[in-house]
Amino acid sequence: MLVATAVPAERDAVARAFSGPVEDVRLPGALLRRTGAGSDLLAAGVGPALAAASTAGALTAAALDGRPYGLVVSAGIGGGFPPAAPLGSLVVADAITAADLGAETADGFLPVTELGFGTVTHRPPESLVRVVSGALGAPAGTVLTVSTVTGTAARAAELRARHPRALAEGMEGFGVAEAAAAHGVPVLEIRAVSNPVGPRDRAAWRIGDALAALTEAFGKLAPAFESWNPHDDQ
């Protein structure tokens, strides 16, 4: 399993859930942290483009080494849409959606799919979402990927209107999912909520609580990942 986070603080929060030796592996432009539990942790960078490039590099290196990954998990902290995703809570994506990939028109925003190109949503395996959501006691819904973090009530309302099932936003999930899809590897996204989506108020951020929730989440997930059967979705 490859776990891709944005920054080292998130990667290290996930790493605290694993015991045993850790080996650092240098990749082009990135450092991979290999745990004794069979999971590789990658601080892939901030934003969908860098996350996609770094994740693709790790996937390619693993394939060339003859040990391809069976699952990619995008994990980190992010903004939660209240009241469904309060501070310190966890959410699991059943849809990983690029919220701002498209075009502004006189009639409003058009996703790139309506322009005849690409995709804007990747869907993790339904059975895996059920298993992980159940293990964490966390809701499943849409997790949005944005290139610009939401900082106003108007923007938050606009996103909720376009994506009524949205639970949270982050900046890397869609990029990680694009890389996983290119390699034919299933993907999952888990977010710990550090702040509400809306007006930017740093005093309201709870980054430490969110990182602790991320550690706790991965401490619970080993049995869930082991019990998941990819063939259940075929």
Side-chain angles (χ1 to χ4, degrees):
M1 178 175 70
L2 175 66
V3 181
T5 69
V7 296
E10 294 168 321
R11 178 201 62 201
D12 295 344
V14 174
R16 285 192 285 273
F18 297 94
S19 59
V22 174
E23 175 190 3
D24 286 343
V25 179
R26 288 281 176 188
L27 299 177
L31 177 68
L32 190 73
R33 188 149 288 174
R34 180 159 291 155
T35 74
S39 296
D40 290 352
L41 314 180
L42 177 71
V46 174
L50 186 53
S54 298
T55 303
L59 287 163
T60 299
L64 291 175
D65 195 37
R67 40 173 294 164
Y69 296 108
L71 175 67
V72 178
V73 181
S74 176
I77 65 176
F81 287 93
L87 297 182
S89 68
L90 297 162
V91 300
V92 180
D94 61 14
I96 302 170
T97 297
D100 48 15
L101 182 59
E104 293 287 353
T105 75
D107 297 320
F109 178 82
L110 286 180
V112 72
T113 48
E114 293 189 26
L115 302 174
F117 304 103
T119 185
V120 293
T121 295
H122 290 281
R123 297 192 179 278
E126 292 182 6
S127 62
L128 179 60
V129 171
R130 286 196 301 271
V131 168
V132 170
S133 179
L136 298 180
T142 301
V143 174
L144 303 178
T145 299
V146 296
S147 295
T148 302
V149 173
T150 300
T152 67
R155 174 65 170 166
E158 178 187 349
L159 289 175
R160 284 302 297 267
R162 292 211 312 259
H163 307 282
R165 296 186 66 254
L167 293 175
E169 72 171 21
M171 299 183 73
E172 294 78 33
F174 186 78
V176 172
E178 286 277 84
H183 281 260
V185 180
V187 68
L188 181 71
E189 183 171 9
I190 300 169
R191 290 279 165 183
V193 177
S194 59
N195 58 278
V197 176
R200 189 171 175 83
D201 178 11
R202 296 190 67 167
W205 295 359
R206 297 293 181 267
I207 292 176
D209 292 344
L211 291 173
L214 203 60
T215 302
E216 184 179 357
F218 276 85
K220 297 177 179 177
L221 284 178
F225 288 136
E226 289 173 2
S227 69
W228 174 57
N229 183 354
H231 300 295
D232 288 344
D233 293 283
Q234 295 178 357

